[in-house]
Amino acid sequence: MNTPTHPTPSPLVPRTVPAALLEALAARFGAQCSTASAVCEQHGRDEGSLVAPPPSAVVFAHSTQDVQDAVRLAAQYAVPVIPYGAGSSLEGHLLAVQGGISLDVSRMNQVLSVNADDLTVTVQPGITRKALNDAIKDTGLFFPIDPGADASIGGMTATRASGTNAVRYGTMRENVLALEVVTASGEVIRTGTRAKKSSAGYDLTRLLVGSEGTLGVMTEITVKLYPLPEAVSAAICSFPSIEAAVRTTIQTIQLGVPIARVELIDANSVRMVNAHSKLNLREEPMLLMEFHGSSASVQEQAQTVQEIASEFGGNAFEWASTPEERTRLWTARHNTYFAAVQSRPGCRAISTDTCVPISRLADCLLDSVAEADASGIPYFLVGHVGDGNFHFGYLIDPDSAAERASAEQLNHQLVARALALGGTCTGEHGVGIHKMGFLLDEAGVGAVDMMRAIKRALDPQNILNPGKIFAL
Protein backbone atom coordinates (compact mmCIF):
# COMPACT_ATOMS: atom_id res chain seq x y z
CA MET A 1 0.00 0.00 0.00
CA ASN A 2 1.54 3.28 -1.11
CA THR A 3 1.24 6.22 1.23
CA PRO A 4 -0.07 9.57 -0.05
CA THR A 5 2.53 11.50 -2.01
CA HIS A 6 1.88 14.98 -0.64
CA PRO A 7 3.10 15.67 2.90
CA THR A 8 1.01 18.01 5.00
CA PRO A 9 2.50 21.50 4.58
CA SER A 10 3.23 23.60 7.63
CA PRO A 11 0.88 26.60 7.82
CA LEU A 12 2.51 27.95 11.01
CA VAL A 13 3.64 31.43 9.91
CA PRO A 14 2.68 33.81 12.74
CA ARG A 15 1.62 37.36 11.94
CA THR A 16 1.98 40.29 14.27
CA VAL A 17 -1.17 41.60 15.93
CA PRO A 18 -0.58 45.34 16.35
CA ALA A 19 -1.34 46.96 19.69
CA ALA A 20 -3.46 49.47 17.77
CA LEU A 21 -5.84 46.68 16.71
CA LEU A 22 -6.18 45.37 20.26
CA GLU A 23 -6.93 48.90 21.42
CA ALA A 24 -9.52 49.37 18.67
CA LEU A 25 -11.19 46.07 19.55
CA ALA A 26 -11.29 46.99 23.24
CA ALA A 27 -12.80 50.37 22.41
CA ARG A 28 -15.47 48.87 20.15
CA PHE A 29 -16.36 45.75 22.14
CA GLY A 30 -15.49 46.52 25.76
CA ALA A 31 -16.18 43.45 27.91
CA GLN A 32 -16.97 41.45 24.76
CA CYS A 33 -13.23 41.47 23.96
CA SER A 34 -10.73 39.57 26.09
CA THR A 35 -6.96 39.17 26.00
CA ALA A 36 -6.85 37.09 29.19
CA SER A 37 -4.52 34.14 28.76
CA ALA A 38 -7.05 31.58 30.02
CA VAL A 39 -9.69 32.80 27.54
CA CYS A 40 -7.24 32.87 24.64
CA GLU A 41 -5.87 29.41 25.47
CA GLN A 42 -9.40 27.98 25.60
CA HIS A 43 -10.05 29.37 22.12
CA GLY A 44 -6.73 28.09 20.82
CA ARG A 45 -7.42 24.37 21.07
CA ASP A 46 -10.01 21.89 19.85
CA GLU A 47 -10.68 18.20 20.46
CA GLY A 48 -7.90 17.10 18.12
CA SER A 49 -4.27 16.27 18.81
CA LEU A 50 -2.66 19.28 17.09
CA VAL A 51 -1.32 22.26 19.02
CA ALA A 52 -0.52 25.87 18.15
CA PRO A 53 -0.07 29.16 20.02
CA PRO A 54 -3.34 30.75 21.19
CA PRO A 55 -4.91 33.79 19.50
CA SER A 56 -3.98 37.24 20.78
CA ALA A 57 -7.56 38.17 21.62
CA VAL A 58 -11.08 36.78 21.66
CA VAL A 59 -14.10 38.79 20.51
CA PHE A 60 -17.52 37.53 21.62
CA ALA A 61 -19.99 38.53 18.93
CA HIS A 62 -23.66 39.09 19.79
CA SER A 63 -24.89 40.16 16.36
CA THR A 64 -24.13 40.33 12.68
CA GLN A 65 -23.03 43.91 13.22
CA ASP A 66 -20.48 42.72 15.80
CA VAL A 67 -19.08 40.21 13.31
CA GLN A 68 -18.99 42.85 10.61
CA ASP A 69 -17.13 45.34 12.80
CA ALA A 70 -14.63 42.77 14.04
CA VAL A 71 -13.82 41.60 10.52
CA ARG A 72 -13.48 45.17 9.26
CA LEU A 73 -11.04 46.04 12.04
CA ALA A 74 -9.02 42.88 11.38
CA ALA A 75 -8.97 43.64 7.65
CA GLN A 76 -7.71 47.15 8.35
CA TYR A 77 -4.62 45.62 9.98
CA ALA A 78 -4.45 42.45 7.80
CA VAL A 79 -4.81 40.28 10.90
CA PRO A 80 -6.32 36.76 10.81
CA VAL A 81 -9.85 36.09 12.08
CA ILE A 82 -10.69 32.55 13.22
CA PRO A 83 -14.42 31.79 13.69
CA TYR A 84 -15.17 29.82 16.86
CA GLY A 85 -18.37 27.94 17.74
CA ALA A 86 -18.47 25.05 20.20
CA GLY A 87 -14.78 24.11 19.92
CA SER A 88 -15.55 20.48 19.06
CA SER A 89 -13.61 20.22 15.78
CA LEU A 90 -10.94 17.54 15.39
CA GLU A 91 -8.64 18.71 12.59
CA GLY A 92 -7.26 21.98 13.96
CA HIS A 93 -9.88 24.18 12.32
CA LEU A 94 -9.89 26.80 15.07
CA LEU A 95 -6.16 26.87 15.83
CA ALA A 96 -4.57 30.29 15.40
CA VAL A 97 -1.69 28.94 13.33
CA GLN A 98 -0.92 32.40 11.94
CA GLY A 99 -1.92 34.30 15.07
CA GLY A 100 -4.81 36.73 15.05
CA ILE A 101 -8.11 36.98 16.87
CA SER A 102 -10.71 34.34 17.65
CA LEU A 103 -14.23 35.43 16.75
CA ASP A 104 -16.53 33.55 19.11
CA VAL A 105 -20.13 33.36 17.80
CA SER A 106 -21.42 31.01 20.50
CA ARG A 107 -23.55 33.83 21.99
CA MET A 108 -25.31 34.25 18.65
CA ASN A 109 -27.52 31.31 19.52
CA GLN A 110 -31.08 32.29 18.67
CA VAL A 111 -33.73 30.72 16.49
CA LEU A 112 -34.67 33.60 14.20
CA SER A 113 -37.69 32.16 12.42
CA VAL A 114 -39.48 28.84 12.12
CA ASN A 115 -41.41 28.17 8.92
CA ALA A 116 -43.13 24.96 9.87
CA ASP A 117 -45.31 24.80 6.75
CA ASP A 118 -42.19 24.94 4.56
CA LEU A 119 -40.14 22.67 6.84
CA THR A 120 -37.36 25.25 7.34
CA VAL A 121 -35.81 27.18 10.20
CA THR A 122 -33.37 30.10 10.23
CA VAL A 123 -30.89 30.29 13.11
CA GLN A 124 -27.81 32.11 14.26
CA PRO A 125 -24.57 30.12 13.95
CA GLY A 126 -23.88 29.63 17.65
CA ILE A 127 -26.95 27.56 18.44
CA THR A 128 -26.12 23.91 19.00
CA ARG A 129 -28.02 21.05 17.38
CA LYS A 130 -29.49 19.95 20.72
CA ALA A 131 -30.63 23.48 21.58
CA LEU A 132 -32.20 23.82 18.14
CA ASN A 133 -34.19 20.62 18.50
CA ASP A 134 -35.28 21.62 21.99
CA ALA A 135 -36.48 24.99 20.68
CA ILE A 136 -38.63 23.44 17.92
CA LYS A 137 -39.90 20.36 19.76
CA ASP A 138 -43.46 21.73 19.94
CA THR A 139 -43.69 22.03 16.14
CA GLY A 140 -43.62 18.29 15.50
CA LEU A 141 -40.43 18.78 13.47
CA PHE A 142 -36.76 18.08 14.08
CA PHE A 143 -33.32 18.74 12.64
CA PRO A 144 -31.73 15.33 12.03
CA ILE A 145 -28.03 15.97 11.45
CA ASP A 146 -26.23 14.43 14.42
CA PRO A 147 -22.41 14.42 14.38
CA GLY A 148 -22.24 13.12 17.94
CA ALA A 149 -20.80 16.15 19.66
CA ASP A 150 -23.25 18.91 20.55
CA ALA A 151 -21.70 21.03 17.82
CA SER A 152 -22.91 24.45 16.74
CA ILE A 153 -24.93 24.74 13.55
CA GLY A 154 -22.37 27.22 12.25
CA GLY A 155 -19.51 24.80 12.83
CA MET A 156 -21.47 21.94 11.32
CA THR A 157 -22.16 24.06 8.23
CA ALA A 158 -18.54 25.19 7.96
CA THR A 159 -17.24 21.61 8.03
CA ARG A 160 -20.09 20.05 6.00
CA ALA A 161 -20.78 17.73 8.92
CA SER A 162 -23.03 14.68 8.91
CA GLY A 163 -23.07 11.87 11.47
CA THR A 164 -25.32 9.05 12.55
CA ASN A 165 -28.48 10.02 10.64
CA ALA A 166 -26.80 10.79 7.32
CA VAL A 167 -27.67 7.44 5.75
CA ARG A 168 -31.33 8.54 5.66
CA TYR A 169 -31.36 12.34 5.95
CA GLY A 170 -28.14 13.34 4.22
CA THR A 171 -25.38 15.71 5.35
CA MET A 172 -25.21 19.45 5.93
CA ARG A 173 -24.58 19.82 2.19
CA GLU A 174 -28.10 18.61 1.43
CA ASN A 175 -29.77 20.38 4.34
CA VAL A 176 -28.52 23.98 4.21
CA LEU A 177 -30.72 26.19 2.00
CA ALA A 178 -29.48 29.73 2.59
CA LEU A 179 -26.84 31.75 4.41
CA GLU A 180 -26.06 35.24 5.62
CA VAL A 181 -22.29 35.72 5.55
CA VAL A 182 -19.80 38.44 6.43
CA THR A 183 -17.08 38.53 3.78
CA ALA A 184 -13.38 39.28 4.22
CA SER A 185 -14.03 42.96 3.51
CA GLY A 186 -16.78 43.17 6.14
CA GLU A 187 -19.65 43.17 3.65
CA VAL A 188 -22.83 41.24 4.50
CA ILE A 189 -24.16 39.03 1.71
CA ARG A 190 -26.98 36.51 1.44
CA THR A 191 -26.88 33.28 -0.53
CA GLY A 192 -29.74 30.97 -1.44
CA THR A 193 -33.41 31.16 -0.45
CA ARG A 194 -35.95 29.06 1.41
CA ALA A 195 -37.11 27.57 -1.90
CA LYS A 196 -36.34 23.89 -2.36
CA LYS A 197 -34.41 24.49 -5.55
CA SER A 198 -32.92 27.25 -7.69
CA SER A 199 -31.02 27.71 -10.95
CA ALA A 200 -30.04 31.32 -10.24
CA GLY A 201 -26.34 31.90 -10.81
CA TYR A 202 -23.42 30.30 -9.02
CA ASP A 203 -24.37 28.12 -6.07
CA LEU A 204 -22.61 30.22 -3.43
CA THR A 205 -24.36 28.38 -0.61
CA ARG A 206 -22.76 25.09 -1.64
CA LEU A 207 -19.41 26.85 -2.02
CA LEU A 208 -19.56 28.20 1.53
CA VAL A 209 -20.86 25.00 3.11
CA GLY A 210 -17.66 23.12 3.95
CA SER A 211 -15.35 26.11 3.44
CA GLU A 212 -14.20 25.88 7.09
CA GLY A 213 -14.36 29.61 7.75
CA THR A 214 -11.89 30.45 4.98
CA LEU A 215 -14.31 32.34 2.71
CA GLY A 216 -16.64 34.12 5.13
CA VAL A 217 -18.12 34.16 8.63
CA MET A 218 -21.65 32.77 8.72
CA THR A 219 -24.13 34.82 10.75
CA GLU A 220 -27.48 33.27 9.72
CA ILE A 221 -28.20 29.77 8.46
CA THR A 222 -31.43 28.38 7.01
CA VAL A 223 -31.76 24.60 7.21
CA LYS A 224 -34.34 21.95 6.40
CA LEU A 225 -36.51 20.35 9.04
CA TYR A 226 -38.28 16.99 8.97
CA PRO A 227 -41.47 15.67 10.57
CA LEU A 228 -40.85 13.65 13.71
CA PRO A 229 -41.41 10.01 12.73
CA GLU A 230 -44.60 8.35 13.89
CA ALA A 231 -42.61 5.43 15.24
CA VAL A 232 -38.96 4.99 16.22
CA SER A 233 -37.34 1.71 17.14
CA ALA A 234 -33.72 0.94 17.96
CA ALA A 235 -31.88 -2.35 18.26
CA ILE A 236 -28.41 -3.71 18.87
CA CYS A 237 -27.01 -6.85 17.36
CA SER A 238 -23.68 -8.55 18.12
CA PHE A 239 -21.63 -10.38 15.50
CA PRO A 240 -18.82 -12.94 15.51
CA SER A 241 -16.60 -10.59 13.49
CA ILE A 242 -16.34 -7.09 12.10
CA GLU A 243 -16.68 -8.56 8.61
CA ALA A 244 -20.04 -10.12 9.48
CA ALA A 245 -21.32 -6.78 10.79
CA VAL A 246 -20.09 -4.94 7.71
CA ARG A 247 -21.58 -7.50 5.30
CA THR A 248 -24.92 -7.12 7.07
CA THR A 249 -24.73 -3.36 6.61
CA ILE A 250 -23.81 -3.60 2.93
CA GLN A 251 -26.67 -5.95 2.14
CA THR A 252 -29.13 -3.81 4.12
CA ILE A 253 -28.25 -0.71 2.09
CA GLN A 254 -28.12 -2.53 -1.24
CA LEU A 255 -31.61 -3.94 -0.62
CA GLY A 256 -32.90 -0.39 -0.17
CA VAL A 257 -33.99 -0.69 3.46
CA PRO A 258 -34.56 2.95 4.53
CA ILE A 259 -32.75 2.51 7.84
CA ALA A 260 -32.25 5.79 9.72
CA ARG A 261 -29.06 4.92 11.57
CA VAL A 262 -26.64 2.02 11.47
CA GLU A 263 -23.50 2.36 13.56
CA LEU A 264 -20.61 -0.08 13.80
CA ILE A 265 -18.89 -0.37 17.16
CA ASP A 266 -15.90 -2.72 17.41
CA ALA A 267 -15.15 -4.90 20.43
CA ASN A 268 -12.53 -2.43 21.72
CA SER A 269 -15.08 0.37 21.68
CA VAL A 270 -17.77 -1.74 23.36
CA ARG A 271 -15.36 -2.59 26.16
CA MET A 272 -14.47 1.09 26.64
CA VAL A 273 -18.12 2.18 26.53
CA ASN A 274 -19.10 -0.46 29.09
CA ALA A 275 -16.48 0.86 31.51
CA HIS A 276 -17.34 4.52 30.88
CA SER A 277 -21.14 4.32 30.77
CA LYS A 278 -21.63 1.43 33.23
CA LEU A 279 -23.27 -0.81 30.63
CA ASN A 280 -23.16 -4.57 30.15
CA LEU A 281 -23.10 -4.85 26.36
CA ARG A 282 -21.63 -7.99 24.81
CA GLU A 283 -17.98 -7.19 24.09
CA GLU A 284 -18.14 -8.21 20.44
CA PRO A 285 -18.45 -6.23 17.19
CA MET A 286 -21.88 -4.64 17.23
CA LEU A 287 -24.34 -2.76 15.07
CA LEU A 288 -26.51 -0.13 16.73
CA MET A 289 -29.51 0.53 14.47
CA GLU A 290 -32.52 2.80 14.42
CA PHE A 291 -35.65 2.68 12.27
CA HIS A 292 -38.02 5.60 11.54
CA GLY A 293 -41.46 5.60 9.92
CA SER A 294 -44.96 4.35 10.55
CA SER A 295 -45.45 1.53 13.02
CA ALA A 296 -45.92 -0.95 10.17
CA SER A 297 -42.91 0.24 8.14
CA VAL A 298 -40.63 0.25 11.18
CA GLN A 299 -41.63 -3.32 11.97
CA GLU A 300 -41.03 -4.36 8.35
CA GLN A 301 -37.62 -2.68 8.22
CA ALA A 302 -36.52 -4.24 11.48
CA GLN A 303 -37.66 -7.71 10.45
CA THR A 304 -35.76 -7.46 7.16
CA VAL A 305 -32.55 -6.38 8.88
CA GLN A 306 -32.90 -9.07 11.53
CA GLU A 307 -33.16 -11.71 8.80
CA ILE A 308 -30.08 -10.31 7.05
CA ALA A 309 -28.12 -10.22 10.31
CA SER A 310 -28.96 -13.85 11.06
CA GLU A 311 -27.46 -14.88 7.72
CA PHE A 312 -24.12 -13.47 8.88
CA GLY A 313 -24.19 -14.89 12.39
CA GLY A 314 -25.75 -11.91 14.11
CA ASN A 315 -27.12 -12.81 17.49
CA ALA A 316 -28.54 -11.26 20.64
CA PHE A 317 -30.76 -8.94 18.62
CA GLU A 318 -32.02 -6.69 21.44
CA TRP A 319 -34.65 -3.98 21.19
CA ALA A 320 -34.65 -0.59 22.86
CA SER A 321 -38.31 0.19 22.64
CA THR A 322 -38.63 3.13 25.03
CA PRO A 323 -37.21 6.63 24.47
CA GLU A 324 -35.16 6.25 27.65
CA GLU A 325 -33.52 3.04 26.45
CA ARG A 326 -32.78 4.54 23.04
CA THR A 327 -31.30 7.65 24.62
CA ARG A 328 -29.10 5.54 26.87
CA LEU A 329 -27.70 3.57 23.94
CA TRP A 330 -27.12 6.57 21.69
CA THR A 331 -25.57 8.57 24.51
CA ALA A 332 -23.15 5.71 25.09
CA ARG A 333 -22.33 5.65 21.35
CA HIS A 334 -21.77 9.41 21.27
CA ASN A 335 -19.50 9.14 24.32
CA THR A 336 -17.24 6.56 22.65
CA TYR A 337 -14.53 9.16 22.04
CA PHE A 338 -14.45 10.22 25.68
CA ALA A 339 -14.68 6.61 26.85
CA ALA A 340 -11.68 5.75 24.70
CA VAL A 341 -9.59 8.68 25.88
CA GLN A 342 -10.35 7.83 29.50
CA SER A 343 -9.28 4.23 28.90
CA ARG A 344 -5.69 5.46 28.57
CA PRO A 345 -5.19 8.39 30.95
CA GLY A 346 -3.16 11.24 29.49
CA CYS A 347 -3.50 10.04 25.90
CA ARG A 348 -4.67 11.98 22.85
CA ALA A 349 -6.64 10.48 19.99
CA ILE A 350 -5.61 10.80 16.36
CA SER A 351 -8.94 10.42 14.61
CA THR A 352 -9.67 9.34 11.04
CA ASP A 353 -12.87 9.72 9.03
CA THR A 354 -12.41 8.14 5.63
CA CYS A 355 -15.49 7.30 3.57
CA VAL A 356 -15.71 4.85 0.68
CA PRO A 357 -18.43 3.59 -1.67
CA ILE A 358 -20.58 1.14 0.27
CA SER A 359 -19.56 -1.76 -1.99
CA ARG A 360 -15.90 -1.30 -0.98
CA LEU A 361 -16.47 -0.82 2.73
CA ALA A 362 -15.39 -4.31 3.78
CA ASP A 363 -12.23 -4.16 1.62
CA CYS A 364 -11.15 -0.88 3.19
CA LEU A 365 -12.18 -1.58 6.75
CA LEU A 366 -10.84 -5.10 7.23
CA ASP A 367 -7.37 -4.38 5.89
CA SER A 368 -7.19 -1.27 8.07
CA VAL A 369 -8.21 -3.26 11.16
CA ALA A 370 -5.43 -5.77 10.45
CA GLU A 371 -2.87 -2.96 10.22
CA ALA A 372 -4.09 -1.36 13.43
CA ASP A 373 -3.98 -4.68 15.29
CA ALA A 374 -0.43 -5.34 14.07
CA SER A 375 0.78 -1.90 15.18
CA GLY A 376 0.22 -2.51 18.88
CA ILE A 377 -1.25 0.98 19.33
CA PRO A 378 -4.49 1.01 21.33
CA TYR A 379 -7.38 2.09 19.14
CA PHE A 380 -11.13 2.23 18.87
CA LEU A 381 -13.30 1.87 15.78
CA VAL A 382 -16.77 3.28 15.21
CA GLY A 383 -18.51 4.10 11.99
CA HIS A 384 -21.57 5.50 10.27
CA VAL A 385 -21.20 2.47 8.06
CA GLY A 386 -24.55 2.90 6.32
CA ASP A 387 -22.91 5.51 4.10
CA GLY A 388 -19.41 3.99 4.05
CA ASN A 389 -17.94 6.32 6.68
CA PHE A 390 -15.92 5.06 9.65
CA HIS A 391 -13.53 6.36 12.29
CA PHE A 392 -10.41 4.90 13.83
CA GLY A 393 -9.12 6.64 16.93
CA TYR A 394 -5.47 5.83 17.62
CA LEU A 395 -4.75 6.46 21.31
CA ILE A 396 -1.22 7.81 21.62
CA ASP A 397 1.02 9.17 24.33
CA PRO A 398 1.34 12.81 23.20
CA ASP A 399 4.94 12.86 24.45
CA SER A 400 5.96 9.82 22.41
CA ALA A 401 7.27 10.75 18.97
CA ALA A 402 7.37 7.08 18.04
CA GLU A 403 3.69 6.48 18.84
CA ARG A 404 2.63 9.60 16.99
CA ALA A 405 4.67 8.58 13.95
CA SER A 406 3.19 5.08 14.01
CA ALA A 407 -0.37 6.41 14.27
CA GLU A 408 0.19 8.89 11.46
CA GLN A 409 1.59 6.09 9.30
CA LEU A 410 -1.56 4.05 9.95
CA ASN A 411 -3.62 7.08 9.00
CA HIS A 412 -1.64 7.58 5.78
CA GLN A 413 -2.10 3.94 4.81
CA LEU A 414 -5.82 4.13 5.54
CA VAL A 415 -6.28 7.26 3.44
CA ALA A 416 -4.29 5.79 0.55
CA ARG A 417 -6.47 2.68 0.65
CA ALA A 418 -9.68 4.73 0.73
CA LEU A 419 -8.60 6.88 -2.21
CA ALA A 420 -7.61 3.82 -4.23
CA LEU A 421 -11.13 2.45 -3.67
CA GLY A 422 -12.81 5.61 -4.91
CA GLY A 423 -13.30 7.18 -1.48
CA THR A 424 -12.33 10.35 0.33
CA CYS A 425 -9.85 11.33 3.03
CA THR A 426 -12.58 13.01 5.08
CA GLY A 427 -16.22 12.05 5.16
CA GLU A 428 -17.32 14.66 7.69
CA HIS A 429 -14.60 16.20 9.85
CA GLY A 430 -13.14 18.45 7.16
CA VAL A 431 -9.56 19.12 6.07
CA GLY A 432 -8.42 21.69 8.62
CA ILE A 433 -4.67 21.39 9.06
CA HIS A 434 -4.30 17.65 9.46
CA LYS A 435 -5.53 16.59 6.01
CA MET A 436 -4.01 19.30 3.81
CA GLY A 437 -1.63 16.87 2.14
CA PHE A 438 -4.37 14.29 1.70
CA LEU A 439 -6.54 16.83 -0.11
CA LEU A 440 -3.86 17.19 -2.78
CA ASP A 441 -3.79 13.43 -3.24
CA GLU A 442 -7.56 13.24 -3.50
CA ALA A 443 -8.42 16.28 -5.59
CA GLY A 444 -5.21 16.81 -7.53
CA VAL A 445 -3.04 19.88 -7.92
CA GLY A 446 -5.28 21.49 -10.54
CA ALA A 447 -8.41 21.33 -8.40
CA VAL A 448 -6.60 22.62 -5.31
CA ASP A 449 -5.14 25.46 -7.38
CA MET A 450 -8.71 26.37 -8.37
CA MET A 451 -9.66 26.42 -4.69
CA ARG A 452 -6.68 28.71 -4.03
CA ALA A 453 -7.83 31.03 -6.81
CA ILE A 454 -11.28 31.29 -5.23
CA LYS A 455 -9.73 31.97 -1.83
CA ARG A 456 -7.47 34.70 -3.20
CA ALA A 457 -10.34 36.34 -5.06
CA LEU A 458 -12.65 36.42 -2.04
CA ASP A 459 -10.02 36.98 0.65
CA PRO A 460 -7.04 38.76 -0.94
CA GLN A 461 -5.37 39.49 2.41
CA ASN A 462 -5.80 35.87 3.52
CA ILE A 463 -7.29 36.85 6.88
CA LEU A 464 -10.18 34.38 7.13
CA ASN A 465 -8.95 31.30 9.02
CA PRO A 466 -5.66 31.18 7.12
CA GLY A 467 -3.51 28.05 7.04
CA LYS A 468 -6.47 25.71 6.71
CA ILE A 469 -7.48 23.38 3.84
CA PHE A 470 -4.41 24.36 1.76
CA ALA A 471 -1.35 26.57 2.06
CA LEU A 472 -1.24 29.90 0.24
Side-chain angles (χ1 to χ4, degrees), residues 38-185:
V39 175
C40 291
E41 287 171 7
Q42 175 197 352
H43 287 74
R45 61 176 181 265
D46 62 9
E47 295 292 345
S49 64
L50 302 174
V51 294
S56 296
V58 178
V59 172
F60 294 90
H62 293 174
S63 65
T64 298
Q65 187 64 60
D66 285 351
V67 173
Q68 194 173 16
D69 290 348
V71 172
R72 282 175 172 170
L73 284 170
Q76 182 179 338
Y77 293 91
V79 165
V81 176
I82 305 101
Y84 183 99
S88 58
S89 59
L90 292 167
E91 302 295 349
H93 297 97
L94 55 82
L95 302 188
V97 293
Q98 295 189 18
I101 63 172
S102 176
L103 183 53
D104 188 323
V105 298
S106 63
R107 299 178 185 178
M108 296 176 64
N109 58 5
Q110 300 301 304
V111 173
L112 300 176
S113 64
V114 179
N115 297 279
D117 290 343
D118 295 324
L119 303 180
T120 68
V121 63
T122 299
V123 300
Q124 292 181 308
I127 192 169
T128 65
R129 64 175 184 87
K130 290 181 180 178
L132 170 57
N133 276 321
D134 187 60
I136 62 174
K137 62 184 178 182
D138 294 335
T139 66
L141 305 173
F142 81 119
F143 178 67
I145 310 304
D146 177 6
D150 191 18
S152 68
I153 299 301
M156 291 167 62
T157 303
T159 56
R160 203 184 298 127
S162 54
T164 59
N165 277 322
V167 64
R168 176 156 183 165
Y169 297 99
T171 72
M172 291 300 285
R173 179 181 64 186
E174 292 81 34
N175 285 281
V176 176
L177 293 172
L179 298 168
E180 178 186 85
V181 178
V182 175
T183 69
S185 64

Side-chain angles (χ1 to χ4, degrees), residues 59-397:
V59 172
F60 294 90
H62 293 174
S63 65
T64 298
Q65 187 64 60
D66 285 351
V67 173
Q68 194 173 16
D69 290 348
V71 172
R72 282 175 172 170
L73 284 170
Q76 182 179 338
Y77 293 91
V79 165
V81 176
I82 305 101
Y84 183 99
S88 58
S89 59
L90 292 167
E91 302 295 349
H93 297 97
L94 55 82
L95 302 188
V97 293
Q98 295 189 18
I101 63 172
S102 176
L103 183 53
D104 188 323
V105 298
S106 63
R107 299 178 185 178
M108 296 176 64
N109 58 5
Q110 300 301 304
V111 173
L112 300 176
S113 64
V114 179
N115 297 279
D117 290 343
D118 295 324
L119 303 180
T120 68
V121 63
T122 299
V123 300
Q124 292 181 308
I127 192 169
T128 65
R129 64 175 184 87
K130 290 181 180 178
L132 170 57
N133 276 321
D134 187 60
I136 62 174
K137 62 184 178 182
D138 294 335
T139 66
L141 305 173
F142 81 119
F143 178 67
I145 310 304
D146 177 6
D150 191 18
S152 68
I153 299 301
M156 291 167 62
T157 303
T159 56
R160 203 184 298 127
S162 54
T164 59
N165 277 322
V167 64
R168 176 156 183 165
Y169 297 99
T171 72
M172 291 300 285
R173 179 181 64 186
E174 292 81 34
N175 285 281
V176 176
L177 293 172
L179 298 168
E180 178 186 85
V181 178
V182 175
T183 69
S185 64
E187 180 184 1
V188 177
I189 67 166
R190 291 184 177 273
T191 74
T193 70
R194 291 195 300 109
K196 293 295 184 184
K197 60 183 181 180
S198 172
S199 296
Y202 292 166
D203 192 342
L204 297 180
T205 304
R206 297 284 81 72
L207 174 63
L208 289 160
V209 173
S211 62
E212 302 183 16
T214 63
L215 299 180
V217 182
M218 300 170 192
T219 51
E220 291 184 14
I221 302 162
T222 300
V223 297
K224 297 178 183 178
L225 299 177
Y226 295 80
L228 286 165
E230 173 189 328
V232 177
S233 182
I236 56 174
C237 184
S238 297
F239 291 86
S241 66
I242 288 177
E243 181 174 11
V246 172
R247 297 294 181 192
T248 296
T249 303
I250 292 172
Q251 188 162 331
T252 296
I253 300 304
Q254 290 179 338
L255 284 176
V257 178
I259 193 167
R261 292 173 165 179
V262 54
E263 294 288 296
L264 171 68
I265 310 174
D266 79 328
N268 293 337
S269 302
V270 176
R271 185 165 52 252
M272 295 168 183
V273 164
N274 277 343
H276 179 268
S277 299
K278 306 297 187 293
L279 298 177
N280 293 299
L281 302 173
R282 294 167 65 104
E283 294 184 353
E284 298 174 339
M286 175 184 296
L287 291 181
L288 173 55
M289 298 164 282
E290 191 166 281
F291 308 93
H292 295 180
S294 66
S295 297
S297 68
V298 163
Q299 183 176 356
E300 181 181 358
Q301 293 171 47
Q303 182 177 349
T304 300
V305 175
Q306 192 166 4
E307 291 171 357
I308 296 170
S310 66
E311 293 177 12
F312 293 97
N315 55 65
F317 210 97
E318 299 177 12
W319 295 98
S321 55
T322 68
E324 293 76 17
E325 290 174 331
R326 292 196 302 271
T327 298
R328 181 174 63 94
L329 286 175
W330 284 111
T331 298
R333 160 62 185 92
H334 289 330
N335 286 338
T336 301
Y337 176 85
F338 302 105
V341 170
Q342 287 185 10
S343 73
R344 188 182 185 190
C347 77
R348 296 300 295 267
I350 293 181
S351 181
T352 74
D353 74 313
T354 48
C355 185
V356 296
I358 190 70
S359 64
R360 309 309 302 271
L361 179 60
D363 300 329
C364 189
L365 190 50
L366 297 175
D367 287 346
S368 300
V369 166
E371 288 176 347
D373 285 337
S375 75
I377 290 182
Y379 73 91
F380 65 96
L381 168 62
V382 295
H384 319 312
V385 286
D387 54 15
N389 185 200
F390 59 91
H391 309 287
F392 279 88
Y394 307 115
L395 304 176
I396 66 164
D397 177 350

